[in-house]
Structure formats: C-alpha cells, structure tokens
Amino acid sequence: MPFFNSKKPPREINLVNDEEAELLKLADDKLKGESLTLKERARAGESLDKLLVKGFALVREASRRTLGQRHFDVQLWGGMVLHQGIIAEMLTGEGKTLAATLPAYLNALAGEGVHIHTVNDYLAKRDTVWMGQIYHFLGLKVACLVHDGAFIYDPEWRLTEEERKKIDEERDATGSFLVKEEFLRPVTRREAYRADITYGTNHEFGFDYLRDNLTSSVEAQVQRPLNYAIIDEVDSILIDEARTPLIISVADRDSSNFYKVFAAAVKRLTKEEDYLVDEKLRSVEITEAGIDKVEGMAGIKNLYAVENLRLAHYLEACLKAQALYERDRDYVVREGEVIIVDQFTGRLMFGRRYSAGLHQAIEAKEGVAVKEESRTFAQITIQNYFRLYKKLAGMTGTAQTSAEEFHKVYNLEVVSVPPNRPMIRENLPDVIYKDLEAKYRMIAEEVKERHEKGQPVLVGSVSIEKNEILSQVFRKAGISHEVLNAKNHEREGAIIAQAGRLGAVTVATNMAGRGVDIVLGGNPPNPEEARKIKELGGLHVLGTERHEARRIDNQLRGRSGRQGDQGSSRFFLSLEDDLLRIFGGERIKSFMERFDLPEDQPIENKLVTKAIGQAQTRVEGFNFDAREHLLEYDDVLNKQRLVFYSRRQKILEAMSPFNKEVIHQVLEESVEKQLGRMEEANLEEEERIKLFSGVELIEPEEKLSFIELKERAEERIKNFEENLIRAVGHQVLGLLDFLWMNHLEDIEALRESVRIRAYGQRDPLVEYRRESRILFDQMQVNFEEWLFSNIFKMEKRYKENAESGGVAAQTRVTPTQSAEFKKVGRNDPCPCGSGKKYKKCHGR
C-alpha cells in the first residue's frame, strides 16, 4: 500500500469510513467479539494489510465509545503511514497520540508485541491509562515501563463498584485524562513485556535489552524479540538523544587492590615448580603446586570455584605480567605510568593499554598506581538499539528538517500529513537586544501586558537555571506565574492542565515543548473562557533563546495554534545568548553598533534572522557529524555485539531446559581449536608433556600424539557427568561476560588511541576496524585457551569433591571433631580418616 507515494489521502480512508455505519449498530460485547475474530485471523497468519480497514474502523469506534473522541480522517492517514514503517510528520494538536492507537492495535493482533516509546515517564503512564481504555475495550492488554516499576492497565483490579463509579463521574465531569494511578496494577517487567502493547521510554526499553544479555538464566530475561516500535517525538529520541549511548557500568573499586595482592603473590612463585612458561605460544600455566601456594597466600579456599572466576583472572593476568613481560623491552615506566613499546618500531605507544587486565597487572608489578576504572558491563547506541526492531515507525511535528538523517541512519522516510484544520498561528519576527538584562526587562514588559489583558502566555527557556532566573524577574515585576522544570516534574500534569486559562503565565523548560497539548480555557475545558481567549489572540508562546536545532524552536511554537486555534509566537534574543555568542554574534553586534541603537530597542531585520538561521544550521551540521562519527565506530562494535549476544543466548537457552549436547559442542570445538593452535606451534615433546600434564589431560609419564590427545579430550568431555556439565555451563557464561567486559574496555581504549593516527596520514576508522577485529578474534582465543586450561582441572576437582562428599555422608562429625577440623592445616591429612589432604576433602 504505497500511501507515501502521493499527497492525496489514501483510498483506504474511505473504506474505513464505509465500515462506520455497521459498527455503530453493534453492542459493546459484539464490537469486542469483532476484535477477537480479527485477532484470531492475524494469529492464523493473515496479512495485517488485509485487516487494516476493519482494524482501524474498530479502533475509531472504540475510541468514540470510551474517550468520546472520533479519529479524524487525517489521523487515519497518519496511522496508515505509521503502519508502513514510516515517520509521520503531524502538526502539534493533530492528535498523534490517538493516531498511534490505530497501527499499535493492528500490529498487536499478531501477538508479537508492540512498543510505543515516549519521551518521559509521565507520558508513558498517561498514555497507558488514556489510550488503554481503547485497547482494553477491544480485548488487548496494555502496560507501561517507568523508572519506578512496571504497570498494567486494569481498571478493575482493586476498585469497588462504588469507587469505579465515583472515578467515572469525576472523569465525565472534568474531561481530564490525567494519570489515574488507580487503573495501573503493579506487575513484573516480564509481565509488562508480555502485554500486547507496552508504553515506556527508550531508556527503559534499551537498558532492559542490555540487562537481558547479562542474565544468568532464560527465566530472568524480560523482553521478547523486538517486533514493532512506534516512537513518539521521533526526532527527539532518534536524533537529539542519539549522541549518548546506553551504558551499564559500575566503578571497579576493588580491582586495583586485587591486582596488587596477586602481583605480590606471583613474585613468590618458582618457575617450573609453580608455573610453566611456553615461549613459542607466549603462554603461562600455573601448576597445582602454584595454585596451592597462591590460595594459601591470598587466603582463598578454591580459586577456581564459580564465585572466584574474577580472582582467577587477576591471578592469570599477574602471572603473565610476571613471566612474559619485561620492563624496557615490552614496556617502560615513565613518570609513574606504564607505556607500551611497539615491538616493530621500538617507539613508545602513548595512550595505548594492554587488554584483559594485563596493563593493570603490569602496573601492580611495577608498583605504580593501578588505574581504577569503571567496568562497562554492556553498551549500545540509541541508533543500533532501534535498528534491532523488525519494523520501526515514528511521529513528530518536526521531522522534515532532519529527513536526510532519518533516511541515511535509519532508512526511514518522512511523510507530512496535512492538518485537520488550517494552521492560523502568527509567527512574529525575532527581536534581539544587546545584553541579557535588557532582554529580560523587555520580556517582563511583554508578558505583563498580555497577562493583564487575560491572554495566556507560555514562556520557554533552555535550562533550569534560565527558567529560575525568569521566575525571579517575573516575581519582581509582580507577574503571577507557574514554573515547570525537572525539579517539579511531579506537578507537570496539573500545571499544563491550567496553562491555557485566562491570564495564565507558565515559565517552562523544554518539558513543555513535546507531547504537551495546552487547551484554551484549561483542562477540563471551559467553552466560555476559551471563546474569550480566542478573541484575545489565543495562547502566546514567548521563546527566550534559540535552541541549537530549529526543530526544538518549532516544537515550542507548536504549543500554540492547535487544531486551527488562534495563537502567536515570538522569540526574544540577546547577543549574550550562547548560540549568538558562539556563532555569528560579532557580525550582529557590529550591525547594532553601526546604528548605535539604545539598549531597549531591538533589532528586527531579515539579515539578523538569516544569520540566526545560518548559526543553527551550522550547529545542526556539527551535531549530525558527531552522531554519524559515533555511529560509524559503534557499527563495528555492533556486529561483534550481535555475534557475541547470539552465542551467549544459545548457551543460556541450553541451560534451561538443560541441553548438554550444546554445552558439549562448545567445549569440544574450543578444545579442538586450541589443540590445533598448539599443533601448529611444533612444540617439543618435553614441552608438550609439561603443558598437557599441567592442564590435567595426561599423566607426566604419558606420551601421546595430537590425534590421540584430541580423541582423549573428546572422550573425557563426552563422559562428563550432568552436574559437571551444568557447572561448566555456568562457568562458560561467567567467562563470556568477563571477556566481553574486558573487550568493551579494550575497544574504548582503542577508539581513544586511533585518533592520533590521523597525524600519520592513516584513517582512524580503518585502523579501528582492523584492530577491533583483531581484539575480537583474540577474545575468542582467550575463551578457548581458558576452557582448555581449566575444564579438565574442574573435572578432576569435581571427582575429588564427589569422593569427599561420599566419605562425608558416611562419617558423623562430632563437636570434638569439628574443633579438630578448625585447627588442621590445608596440607595435613583430613581428620575424617579418608586418607586425603584436608584441602581436598573437608577443607573444601
């Protein structure tokens, strides 16, 4: 259905209108029955395009019956655009929220879930309660995700008949659609995602995606596969917020201490006895004797237990630093900092750091400050998160100015939907003053004049600081007003509800610029008051500063003149405003000085307006470049992220319900690859025996070929008991997460270091792509090396534990014996009489 190929209304609008007469005749339960039939057809695989006309007609009729609002034809048009996965540009006041119910309902019928992204928690809750009435009437579940929890729309969950009646009467009397908390039942996030339609902010959805890829069980994951998203205020979310990636991180306060502890411990180990070094493979393996010594020095019972995975990593990193890396060969220490030496050029590689904790281990070895860093567990850019959806659509009043970026980054087209009524708002020319003091003085005069007439005024500011300064100016001028900013966001609904009343003055930040409808006469509407306000010129919007993007200015203007109402707007600027001061201020200042204008006399000139527009265009260009630059780099990481998360998910799903074949396959493939690398290294027989006896694969006196080693490894893995396989599976998940964390840190360090390569006539992005692939491949090698080095040790210890457990089960330990157990040394015979060392029996 090529709705976007023509400026004419889609013919399907008339078909929806033709359905209306028949649906009007149906009782409520019959209408709901029609919806259930449509749901069955969708879940049987029928095309949603074929169900569109009936689906849209049902939503329109349900809206009329529940909200008293019937979708305009242009809202049907907007809904059809959204259903196709296109951005619908609809002017403010045209009812985008209501228009979105049409494609949301239609796409929810298939049962795969629809996400509607709002710009804040207030709107997520408001729309769930407000629009939830439509979905609930038609037999669908709707939920919302906000910072303080998850809720499902359920108007009957805890209300008596009398309470419901009272709320209905209140709503009928006020016409208010403010959030009714009584209708929101708290649920788990998992349940909220299993609703047919889920409202929430992009941060809630995005962070849940990242957290789902950090869980240790499938049951702990909350999201379903990402199906269809509608983004309200799409330019704000996909463009304005896209410079900042979503990151889950935590300060790693303990790591520096651990590196110091293990660095001191490995200095006391003896080569050959406590660890084995392979010069060809540049690898080091700790022996059983070495493990015992480190456990004794560090006071750890079992270094290779699941809960000590990170400690084992610190030990291995410190052992590598001690045995394989030499000062003034591999690195130098200068002014308390470890600097890597390039092995090919001999030059110092400033800004580069060894990966996987090795750099911190060397810092601990050399006694310099070990850098404490935030450990990034997971991250993703806004752009790449939304690209995960099977279908994406958005709506806003200001999209055309960013149409190029929408197409280039998201492959999204923009279609302008005409307004239901012509827009008659008067946009007055900007006025510019020499300084802030003069600007604020003249703003107060303008607002006071309109306030005294009774005309409502919305004053927009760019920050909380400027918002509060304006409030002080108005108080001094005796202007009664309301202040809306992030500090008092809990009163947002009440303040906006009264912002359109006679004589109302509202000083607001950008909070009042998006998703907010200011109704003339207030909410609930007062028709007589609204008529008087229209005679006074409607709502006047006064901007106190130009924003970096023209879209944000247009959003503020758009609060006035909704649905063909009267209205006006004007921006008051000064040469001390950030935008004019940084971009083009001198040019305008010289213009003012040339004419020697008084402070209180503004400039109103086309050249000035043009200069402001050029400044905004330049800033928009800079910001676009910054977002594009961020995305180019994140695209490289994103490919790796998708591969890694897919692999992790496969293992996670194999753990519940348990599928040992998948874990077997992972282990066998890893061991086979590591053995292949060792075979290519042409190890001497003596080296090979040392290495393979060190990982518990052979006895010291055995001599096996690589083919025999491979066969033995596969046979032993196949014979792993189920409990051991489960334990290994959890180890594998923990190992993957740990390696991915380190990889993210390495990638970040790489991104920082490649920037300076431009000075050497090398493209930083090309360098980043090449080296990030090397790092990703190395992460895979590290994974396989770790598994090979430890799974047979784990098998041996598992069997020893099983044997110890058998003895323990047969032996009753008396209080006297318990006291003896506390005094026994780790290497002494166990008091239980098993014949084993205490550390390998009850000491475990």
Side-chain angles (χ1 to χ4, degrees):
M1 295 183 294
F3 301 132
F4 54 88
N5 288 345
S6 171
K7 292 186 179 180
K8 295 180 181 179
R11 65 180 183 84
E12 283 76 9
I13 291 175
N14 292 330
L15 298 177
V16 174
N17 291 334
D18 292 342
E19 293 274 339
E20 192 166 19
E22 288 300 316
L23 295 181
L24 279 167
K25 299 174 187 176
L26 299 179
D28 288 357
D29 60 335
K30 294 289 185 184
L31 200 70
K32 188 171 184 177
E34 289 283 325
S35 177
L36 294 174
T37 300
L38 218 58
K39 187 196 291 188
E40 289 171 5
R41 290 168 61 186
R43 296 188 182 186
E46 193 166 342
S47 166
L48 294 181
D49 290 347
K50 291 183 179 179
L51 305 179
L52 182 144
V53 170
K54 189 60 167 280
F56 277 34
L58 284 170
V59 173
R60 177 192 260 179
E61 181 57 23
S63 177
R64 190 187 66 79
R65 296 188 190 191
T66 56
L67 306 182
Q69 295 182 323
R70 177 185 175 275
H71 293 74
F72 301 128
D73 283 1
V74 292
Q75 288 174 310
L76 297 179
W77 188 346
M80 292 171 189
V81 169
L82 292 171
H83 169 62
Q84 281 202 307
I86 298 171
I87 292 174
E89 183 180 66
M90 301 173 69
L91 295 180
T92 187
E94 291 300 309
K96 294 186 290 293
T97 303
L98 190 62
T101 59
L102 299 158
Y105 167 80
L106 180 64
N107 285 268
L109 291 174
E112 295 179 12
V114 172
H115 295 170
I116 301 181
H117 294 254
T118 62
V119 291
N120 58 48
D121 284 351
Y122 166 76
L123 293 176
K125 275 189 172 182
R126 184 202 72 176
D127 293 352
T128 301
V129 174
W130 186 12
M131 300 298 113
Q133 298 170 74
I134 299 173
Y135 305 126
H136 187 264
F137 186 88
L138 293 173
L140 296 184
K141 290 184 178 179
V142 58
C144 66
L145 298 162
V146 290
H147 183 66
D148 58 355
F151 303 88
I152 203 159
Y153 176 75
D154 184 355
E156 301 176 2
W157 78 284
R158 66 177 182 185
L159 301 179
T160 65
E161 188 64 35
E162 188 177 334
E163 288 172 326
R164 282 200 301 276
K165 186 177 178 183
K166 185 178 178 183
I167 289 171
D168 287 341
E169 287 173 354
E170 180 189 341
R171 187 172 67 241
D172 292 341
T174 63
S176 172
F177 296 116
L178 301 182
V179 173
K180 299 290 185 184
E181 298 284 350
E182 299 93 335
F183 296 157
L184 294 176
R185 173 166 56 87
V187 293
T188 64
R189 294 182 89 79
R190 188 179 178 89
E191 189 176 346
Y193 277 109
R194 270 140 191 80
D196 299 294
I197 297 161
T198 308
Y199 285 86
T201 64
N202 62 295
H203 290 95
E204 295 300 321
F205 288 114
F207 281 122
D208 279 341
Y209 167 76
L210 292 177
R211 283 189 286 264
D212 272 1
N213 285 287
L214 290 170
T215 60
S216 57
S217 70
V218 174
E219 291 75 20
Q221 294 182 318
V222 296
Q223 285 190 345
R224 294 189 280 175
L226 301 178
N227 175 43
Y228 174 51
I230 300 173
I231 307 172
D232 192 11
E233 306 300 351
V234 65
D235 51 332
S236 173
I237 291 174
L238 292 191
I239 293 179
D240 297 335
E241 295 188 31
R243 279 180 284 179
T244 307
L246 304 174
I247 299 174
I248 294 178
S249 64
V250 65
D252 190 22
R253 296 185 178 88
D254 297 328
S255 64
S256 58
N257 291 329
F258 281 127
Y259 282 116
K260 291 171 186 175
V261 168
F262 286 108
V266 298
K267 283 181 180 178
R268 296 163 64 183
L269 298 182
T270 306
K271 188 177 178 180
E272 298 298 325
E273 180 184 339
D274 299 322
Y275 61 89
L276 306 171
V277 178
D278 188 274
E279 299 289 346
K280 289 183 180 177
L281 289 173
R282 291 274 292 172
S283 69
V284 57
E285 286 288 342
I286 191 163
T287 64
E288 186 75 27
I291 292 171
D292 289 343
K293 285 185 181 178
V294 172
E295 286 176 346
M297 286 184 278
I300 300 165
K301 283 188 177 181
N302 184 358
L303 193 58
Y304 286 86
V306 176
E307 64 273 16
N308 292 331
L309 179 67
R310 285 194 69 184
L311 301 184
H313 167 78
Y314 295 134
L315 167 62
E316 290 172 5
C318 289
L319 197 55
K320 282 184 179 179
Q322 178 69 26
L324 300 176
Y325 290 82
E326 291 182 19
R327 183 170 179 168
D328 296 329
R329 183 192 74 181
D330 300 294
Y331 62 90
V332 298
V333 177
R334 182 174 292 181
E335 296 179 351
E337 187 176 354
V338 172
I339 303 168
I340 300 172
V341 176
D342 188 328
Q343 296 301 298
F344 298 100
T345 66
R347 296 182 184 276
L348 298 182
M349 302 172 74
F350 293 99
R352 295 291 302 275
R353 289 178 66 81
Y354 289 118
S355 65
L358 179 60
H359 209 95
Q360 287 93 330
I362 294 172
E363 288 170 335
K365 169 188 172 182
E366 296 296 340
V368 301
V370 179
K371 288 191 178 178
E372 178 187 298
E373 297 175 332
S374 290
R375 294 190 66 83
T376 299
F377 291 153
Q379 71 175 63
I380 193 169
T381 57
I382 295 289
Q383 295 98 321
N384 276 319
Y385 171 70
F386 280 107
R387 285 167 164 180
L388 295 170
Y389 281 95
K390 199 187 324 181
K391 183 165 72 170
L392 188 63
M395 51 190 185
T396 181
T398 48
Q400 287 294 356
T401 54
S402 301
E404 179 191 353
E405 186 167 353
F406 283 126
H407 177 74
K408 189 171 182 180
V409 175
Y410 302 98
N411 197 28
L412 285 170
E413 302 297 328
V414 176
V415 170
S416 296
V417 178
N420 185 48
R421 294 177 184 169
M423 201 270 288
I424 59 172
R425 180 184 66 239
E426 184 182 10
N427 294 326
L428 301 168
D430 298 351
V431 289
I432 306 176
Y433 296 88
K434 277 188 176 180
D435 56 43
L436 284 170
E437 187 180 345
K439 181 178 82 169
Y440 287 143
R441 190 164 58 248
M442 300 313 293
I443 286 172
E445 285 188 20
E446 166 101 354
V447 172
K448 190 168 188 176
E449 180 185 339
R450 292 179 184 271
H451 171 62
E452 289 174 349
K453 286 195 308 181
Q455 185 179 14
V457 181
L458 173 67
V459 182
S461 60
V462 296
S463 66
I464 294 175
E465 180 191 7
K466 302 280 178 68
N467 183 260
E468 292 175 341
I469 290 171
L470 282 164
S471 180
Q472 291 173 7
V473 170
F474 288 179
R475 276 200 296 272
K476 287 179 182 176
I479 302 169
S480 175
H481 64 283
E482 281 277 10
V483 176
L484 175 60
N485 59 40
K487 289 184 179 178
N488 64 344
H489 65 92
E490 68 283 347
R491 292 188 58 233
E492 178 178 358
I495 293 171
I496 293 300
Q498 304 306 314
R501 300 194 74 89
L502 272 171
V505 175
T506 309
V507 184
T509 57
N510 291 345
M511 288 176 68
R514 286 190 180 274
V516 171
D517 282 334
I518 297 176
V519 181
L520 297 185
N523 189 8
N526 182 322
E528 181 59 28
E529 196 171 317
R531 185 186 59 77
K532 289 180 183 176
I533 292 170
K534 288 177 182 178
E535 290 174 358
L536 292 168
L539 176 70
H540 180 65
V541 171
L542 193 155
T544 59
E545 200 167 326
R546 284 283 197 170
H547 293 76
E548 289 183 351
R550 291 163 291 171
R551 291 176 295 99
I552 301 175
D553 292 339
N554 292 338
Q555 283 286 347
L556 180 63
R557 275 202 176 106
R559 299 311 100 195
S560 175
R562 62 189 295 278
Q563 282 293 317
D565 285 344
Q566 286 83 358
S568 56
S569 72
R570 186 194 290 274
F571 278 82
F572 280 62
L573 313 176
S574 91
L575 294 179
E576 294 178 353
D577 293 347
D578 291 341
L579 183 75
L580 296 181
R581 183 173 49 79
I582 299 168
F583 300 96
E586 289 301 320
R587 182 180 171 189
I588 300 169
K589 193 171 185 179
S590 64
F591 182 89
M592 291 188 78
E593 289 171 351
R594 196 186 322 154
F595 291 95
D596 194 27
L597 296 171
E599 282 190 355
D600 289 354
Q601 186 172 337
I603 302 175
E604 292 186 62
N605 187 285
K606 288 182 180 179
L607 286 175
V608 173
T609 304
K610 185 179 178 183
I612 294 168
Q614 289 172 342
Q616 286 180 306
T617 303
R618 288 171 66 190
V619 178
E620 287 171 2
F622 290 146
N623 290 338
F624 182 15
D625 290 344
R627 289 188 295 270
E628 192 174 31
H629 181 74
L630 172 70
L631 186 60
E632 284 176 337
Y633 279 81
D634 193 63
D635 278 345
V636 177
L637 179 59
N638 193 53
K639 290 174 185 175
Q640 298 175 359
R641 182 190 296 114
L642 293 176
V643 170
F644 176 82
Y645 281 174
S646 175
R647 183 177 193 187
R648 187 188 190 279
Q649 188 67 20
K650 179 182 175 183
I651 296 169
L652 192 69
E653 289 173 359
M655 298 299 292
S656 179
F658 185 61
N659 184 338
K660 66 179 182 181
E661 282 72 26
V662 172
I663 310 298
H664 273 146
Q665 184 183 359
V666 171
L667 299 180
E668 287 173 4
E669 286 178 357
S670 299
V671 167
E672 186 176 347
K673 287 179 181 176
Q674 183 62 11
L675 281 169
R677 278 191 285 271
M678 291 176 169
E679 189 173 13
E680 289 173 7
N682 287 323
L683 298 175
E684 298 293 336
E685 185 176 332
E686 188 178 342
E687 292 175 313
R688 195 164 70 228
I689 290 170
K690 276 185 184 178
L691 185 61
F692 293 122
S693 61
V695 299
E696 310 288 354
L697 191 54
I698 62 172
E699 296 299 325
E701 65 276 4
E702 283 188 285
K703 297 180 181 180
L704 298 177
S705 67
F706 271 97
I707 293 176
E708 290 171 321
L709 283 166
K710 182 173 175 293
E711 289 173 352
R712 172 174 289 189
E714 288 177 354
E715 185 64 27
R716 281 179 64 173
I717 291 169
K718 281 177 183 172
N719 291 326
F720 278 4
E721 291 184 21
E722 187 169 305
N723 286 340
L724 175 59
I725 287 286
R726 286 181 188 273
V728 171
H730 287 298
Q731 284 271 26
V732 166
L733 285 173
L735 176 62
L736 282 172
D737 291 343
F738 192 76
L739 291 172
W740 181 248
M741 249 192 300
N742 284 329
H743 182 65
L744 291 177
E745 291 174 0
D746 299 342
I747 284 288
E748 186 59 35
L750 174 64
R751 188 180 300 188
E752 293 294 325
S753 69
V754 295
R755 290 177 184 171
I756 62 172
R757 300 190 195 181
Y759 296 112
Q761 305 302 311
R762 287 188 287 180
D763 186 336
L765 183 58
V766 172
E767 296 283 298
Y768 177 77
R769 284 177 180 146
R770 181 179 62 82
E771 294 200 23
S772 66
R773 178 56 193 262
I774 294 170
L775 285 173
F776 189 69
D777 290 343
Q778 185 58 47
M779 181 179 71
Q780 176 68 21
V781 171
N782 291 341
F783 173 74
E784 289 156 2
E785 282 182 350
W786 195 94
L787 278 182
F788 180 79
S789 297
N790 291 286
I791 58 171
F792 301 116
K793 291 178 186 175
M794 289 174 64
E795 179 201 21
K796 185 177 179 181
R797 292 188 172 209
Y798 174 81
K799 288 179 178 178
E800 290 171 352
N801 277 337
E803 291 170 9
S804 301
V807 172
Q810 298 166 7
T811 308
R812 293 179 60 82
V813 180
T814 65
T816 308
Q817 285 176 315
S818 296
E820 291 173 1
F821 274 56
K822 290 178 184 176
K823 297 175 184 176
V824 72
R826 282 174 47 77
N827 289 308
D828 296 337
C830 187
C832 76
S834 66
K836 294 179 177 292
K837 288 184 179 180
Y838 175 67
K839 67 182 179 183
K840 292 187 176 180
C841 191
H842 280 73
R844 289 198 177 280

